[in-house]
Amino acid sequence: MSQPASAPRQRGWYCLGLASEYTSAPVKLNYFGTRLVAYRGEDGEIHVLDGYCPHMGADLSEGCVEGNSIRCPFHAWRWGADGVCDDIPYAKRIPAKAVIRSYPTLE
């Protein structure tokens, strides 16, 4: 599967710091020409997602971690570790296209 021309091209693994630097507090990262957010979930794993909420562009590193998800600071959309929106407090259903990119991690 090829990536669009505008997508960053990652090859291999990248060191993002010491594992001890990642806690349940979101960390703002800038890699591959894009903003990312990293955090340690309730499962103890480090999760990395695109750093902006596609709903209104909020910086997810300003949000809070809930379980293995991160809650957007603007309108409280919650994004799972897989990048799928798993909660919109004021909505009856979550749009199928409410997905952001997630990145594999290895500690």
PDB file of all heavy atoms in Angstrom, residues 34-50:
ATOM      1  N   THR A  34       5.444  16.284  11.342  1.00  0.00           N
ATOM      2  CA  THR A  34       4.088  16.375  11.870  1.00  0.00           C
ATOM      3  C   THR A  34       4.099  16.385  13.394  1.00  0.00           C
ATOM      4  O   THR A  34       5.072  15.996  14.021  1.00  0.00           O
ATOM      5  CB  THR A  34       3.211  15.212  11.341  1.00  0.00           C
ATOM      6  OG1 THR A  34       1.857  15.474  11.643  1.00  0.00           O
ATOM      7  CG2 THR A  34       3.616  13.888  11.920  1.00  0.00           C
ATOM      8  N   ARG A  35       3.025  16.837  13.978  1.00  0.00           N
ATOM      9  CA  ARG A  35       2.864  16.843  15.431  1.00  0.00           C
ATOM     10  C   ARG A  35       2.283  15.511  15.861  1.00  0.00           C
ATOM     11  O   ARG A  35       1.311  15.027  15.288  1.00  0.00           O
ATOM     12  CB  ARG A  35       1.930  17.977  15.848  1.00  0.00           C
ATOM     13  CG  ARG A  35       1.525  18.027  17.312  1.00  0.00           C
ATOM     14  CD  ARG A  35       2.618  18.419  18.275  1.00  0.00           C
ATOM     15  NE  ARG A  35       3.300  19.626  17.928  1.00  0.00           N
ATOM     16  CZ  ARG A  35       2.905  20.865  18.231  1.00  0.00           C
ATOM     17  NH1 ARG A  35       1.794  21.062  18.887  1.00  0.00           N
ATOM     18  NH2 ARG A  35       3.630  21.901  17.867  1.00  0.00           N
ATOM     19  N   LEU A  36       2.868  14.930  16.900  1.00  0.00           N
ATOM     20  CA  LEU A  36       2.399  13.675  17.475  1.00  0.00           C
ATOM     21  C   LEU A  36       2.156  13.867  18.961  1.00  0.00           C
ATOM     22  O   LEU A  36       2.650  14.835  19.554  1.00  0.00           O
ATOM     23  CB  LEU A  36       3.441  12.569  17.278  1.00  0.00           C
ATOM     24  CG  LEU A  36       3.900  12.290  15.856  1.00  0.00           C
ATOM     25  CD1 LEU A  36       5.066  11.312  15.856  1.00  0.00           C
ATOM     26  CD2 LEU A  36       2.762  11.752  15.026  1.00  0.00           C
ATOM     27  N   VAL A  37       1.440  12.943  19.563  1.00  0.00           N
ATOM     28  CA  VAL A  37       1.271  12.922  21.012  1.00  0.00           C
ATOM     29  C   VAL A  37       1.581  11.499  21.480  1.00  0.00           C
ATOM     30  O   VAL A  37       1.188  10.521  20.833  1.00  0.00           O
ATOM     31  CB  VAL A  37      -0.150  13.365  21.449  1.00  0.00           C
ATOM     32  CG1 VAL A  37      -1.225  12.446  20.901  1.00  0.00           C
ATOM     33  CG2 VAL A  37      -0.232  13.486  22.960  1.00  0.00           C
ATOM     34  N   ALA A  38       2.339  11.411  22.575  1.00  0.00           N
ATOM     35  CA  ALA A  38       2.675  10.108  23.152  1.00  0.00           C
ATOM     36  C   ALA A  38       2.250  10.094  24.617  1.00  0.00           C
ATOM     37  O   ALA A  38       2.297  11.121  25.299  1.00  0.00           O
ATOM     38  CB  ALA A  38       4.175   9.853  23.039  1.00  0.00           C
ATOM     39  N   TYR A  39       1.841   8.932  25.086  1.00  0.00           N
ATOM     40  CA  TYR A  39       1.431   8.787  26.488  1.00  0.00           C
ATOM     41  C   TYR A  39       1.475   7.314  26.854  1.00  0.00           C
ATOM     42  O   TYR A  39       1.433   6.434  26.000  1.00  0.00           O
ATOM     43  CB  TYR A  39       0.023   9.350  26.713  1.00  0.00           C
ATOM     44  CG  TYR A  39      -1.049   8.659  25.903  1.00  0.00           C
ATOM     45  CD1 TYR A  39      -1.777   7.601  26.427  1.00  0.00           C
ATOM     46  CD2 TYR A  39      -1.329   9.056  24.599  1.00  0.00           C
ATOM     47  CE1 TYR A  39      -2.747   6.960  25.676  1.00  0.00           C
ATOM     48  CE2 TYR A  39      -2.301   8.426  23.846  1.00  0.00           C
ATOM     49  CZ  TYR A  39      -3.002   7.378  24.386  1.00  0.00           C
ATOM     50  OH  TYR A  39      -3.955   6.742  23.634  1.00  0.00           O
ATOM     51  N   ARG A  40       1.575   7.058  28.148  1.00  0.00           N
ATOM     52  CA  ARG A  40       1.518   5.683  28.642  1.00  0.00           C
ATOM     53  C   ARG A  40       0.092   5.438  29.118  1.00  0.00           C
ATOM     54  O   ARG A  40      -0.433   6.162  29.953  1.00  0.00           O
ATOM     55  CB  ARG A  40       2.513   5.483  29.771  1.00  0.00           C
ATOM     56  CG  ARG A  40       2.686   4.027  30.166  1.00  0.00           C
ATOM     57  CD  ARG A  40       3.773   3.851  31.208  1.00  0.00           C
ATOM     58  NE  ARG A  40       5.089   4.189  30.723  1.00  0.00           N
ATOM     59  CZ  ARG A  40       5.901   3.398  30.018  1.00  0.00           C
ATOM     60  NH1 ARG A  40       5.484   2.193  29.684  1.00  0.00           N
ATOM     61  NH2 ARG A  40       7.089   3.804  29.643  1.00  0.00           N
ATOM     62  N   GLY A  41      -0.519   4.416  28.561  1.00  0.00           N
ATOM     63  CA  GLY A  41      -1.903   4.093  28.912  1.00  0.00           C
ATOM     64  C   GLY A  41      -1.995   3.273  30.190  1.00  0.00           C
ATOM     65  O   GLY A  41      -0.987   2.857  30.771  1.00  0.00           O
ATOM     66  N   GLU A  42      -3.213   3.042  30.589  1.00  0.00           N
ATOM     67  CA  GLU A  42      -3.495   2.216  31.766  1.00  0.00           C
ATOM     68  C   GLU A  42      -2.908   0.811  31.627  1.00  0.00           C
ATOM     69  O   GLU A  42      -2.575   0.162  32.612  1.00  0.00           O
ATOM     70  CB  GLU A  42      -5.017   2.149  31.937  1.00  0.00           C
ATOM     71  CG  GLU A  42      -5.491   1.503  33.196  1.00  0.00           C
ATOM     72  CD  GLU A  42      -7.009   1.589  33.279  1.00  0.00           C
ATOM     73  OE1 GLU A  42      -7.698   0.847  32.536  1.00  0.00           O
ATOM     74  OE2 GLU A  42      -7.499   2.414  34.066  1.00  0.00           O
ATOM     75  N   ASP A  43      -2.762   0.350  30.390  1.00  0.00           N
ATOM     76  CA  ASP A  43      -2.197  -0.970  30.121  1.00  0.00           C
ATOM     77  C   ASP A  43      -0.676  -0.998  30.271  1.00  0.00           C
ATOM     78  O   ASP A  43      -0.048  -2.038  30.108  1.00  0.00           O
ATOM     79  CB  ASP A  43      -2.599  -1.452  28.727  1.00  0.00           C
ATOM     80  CG  ASP A  43      -2.095  -0.553  27.604  1.00  0.00           C
ATOM     81  OD1 ASP A  43      -1.395   0.445  27.876  1.00  0.00           O
ATOM     82  OD2 ASP A  43      -2.424  -0.842  26.430  1.00  0.00           O
ATOM     83  N   GLY A  44      -0.061   0.163  30.555  1.00  0.00           N
ATOM     84  CA  GLY A  44       1.388   0.242  30.727  1.00  0.00           C
ATOM     85  C   GLY A  44       2.147   0.447  29.431  1.00  0.00           C
ATOM     86  O   GLY A  44       3.360   0.642  29.448  1.00  0.00           O
ATOM     87  N   GLU A  45       1.462   0.416  28.311  1.00  0.00           N
ATOM     88  CA  GLU A  45       2.080   0.580  27.003  1.00  0.00           C
ATOM     89  C   GLU A  45       2.184   2.058  26.636  1.00  0.00           C
ATOM     90  O   GLU A  45       1.347   2.865  27.045  1.00  0.00           O
ATOM     91  CB  GLU A  45       1.271  -0.139  25.929  1.00  0.00           C
ATOM     92  CG  GLU A  45       1.144  -1.631  26.139  1.00  0.00           C
ATOM     93  CD  GLU A  45       2.456  -2.363  25.951  1.00  0.00           C
ATOM     94  OE1 GLU A  45       3.216  -2.016  25.024  1.00  0.00           O
ATOM     95  OE2 GLU A  45       2.725  -3.279  26.744  1.00  0.00           O
ATOM     96  N   ILE A  46       3.204   2.387  25.833  1.00  0.00           N
ATOM     97  CA  ILE A  46       3.323   3.739  25.285  1.00  0.00           C
ATOM     98  C   ILE A  46       2.550   3.775  23.978  1.00  0.00           C
ATOM     99  O   ILE A  46       2.717   2.904  23.126  1.00  0.00           O
ATOM    100  CB  ILE A  46       4.801   4.126  25.055  1.00  0.00           C
ATOM    101  CG1 ILE A  46       5.540   4.161  26.397  1.00  0.00           C
ATOM    102  CG2 ILE A  46       4.897   5.474  24.347  1.00  0.00           C
ATOM    103  CD1 ILE A  46       7.026   4.366  26.275  1.00  0.00           C
ATOM    104  N   HIS A  47       1.684   4.777  23.841  1.00  0.00           N
ATOM    105  CA  HIS A  47       0.873   4.937  22.643  1.00  0.00           C
ATOM    106  C   HIS A  47       1.242   6.250  21.965  1.00  0.00           C
ATOM    107  O   HIS A  47       1.481   7.255  22.638  1.00  0.00           O
ATOM    108  CB  HIS A  47      -0.618   4.934  23.000  1.00  0.00           C
ATOM    109  CG  HIS A  47      -1.026   3.704  23.753  1.00  0.00           C
ATOM    110  ND1 HIS A  47      -1.118   2.469  23.145  1.00  0.00           N
ATOM    111  CD2 HIS A  47      -1.336   3.506  25.053  1.00  0.00           C
ATOM    112  CE1 HIS A  47      -1.474   1.570  24.046  1.00  0.00           C
ATOM    113  NE2 HIS A  47      -1.614   2.180  25.209  1.00  0.00           N
ATOM    114  N   VAL A  48       1.288   6.232  20.632  1.00  0.00           N
ATOM    115  CA  VAL A  48       1.602   7.432  19.853  1.00  0.00           C
ATOM    116  C   VAL A  48       0.513   7.621  18.802  1.00  0.00           C
ATOM    117  O   VAL A  48       0.186   6.692  18.055  1.00  0.00           O
ATOM    118  CB  VAL A  48       2.988   7.332  19.179  1.00  0.00           C
ATOM    119  CG1 VAL A  48       3.266   8.566  18.335  1.00  0.00           C
ATOM    120  CG2 VAL A  48       4.085   7.136  20.225  1.00  0.00           C
ATOM    121  N   LEU A  49      -0.047   8.836  18.775  1.00  0.00           N
ATOM    122  CA  LEU A  49      -1.103   9.189  17.828  1.00  0.00           C
ATOM    123  C   LEU A  49      -0.749  10.502  17.141  1.00  0.00           C
ATOM    124  O   LEU A  49       0.097  11.256  17.638  1.00  0.00           O
ATOM    125  CB  LEU A  49      -2.436   9.397  18.564  1.00  0.00           C
ATOM    126  CG  LEU A  49      -2.993   8.244  19.393  1.00  0.00           C
ATOM    127  CD1 LEU A  49      -4.200   8.718  20.188  1.00  0.00           C
ATOM    128  CD2 LEU A  49      -3.368   7.090  18.496  1.00  0.00           C
ATOM    129  N   ASP A  50      -1.448  10.796  16.035  1.00  0.00           N
ATOM    130  CA  ASP A  50      -1.353  12.139  15.472  1.00  0.00           C
ATOM    131  C   ASP A  50      -1.700  13.120  16.582  1.00  0.00           C
ATOM    132  O   ASP A  50      -2.580  12.858  17.402  1.00  0.00           O
ATOM    133  CB  ASP A  50      -2.308  12.315  14.289  1.00  0.00           C
ATOM    134  CG  ASP A  50      -1.720  11.789  12.987  1.00  0.00           C
ATOM    135  OD1 ASP A  50      -0.501  11.583  12.906  1.00  0.00           O
ATOM    136  OD2 ASP A  50      -2.510  11.593  12.041  1.00  0.00           O
TER     137      ASP A  50
END
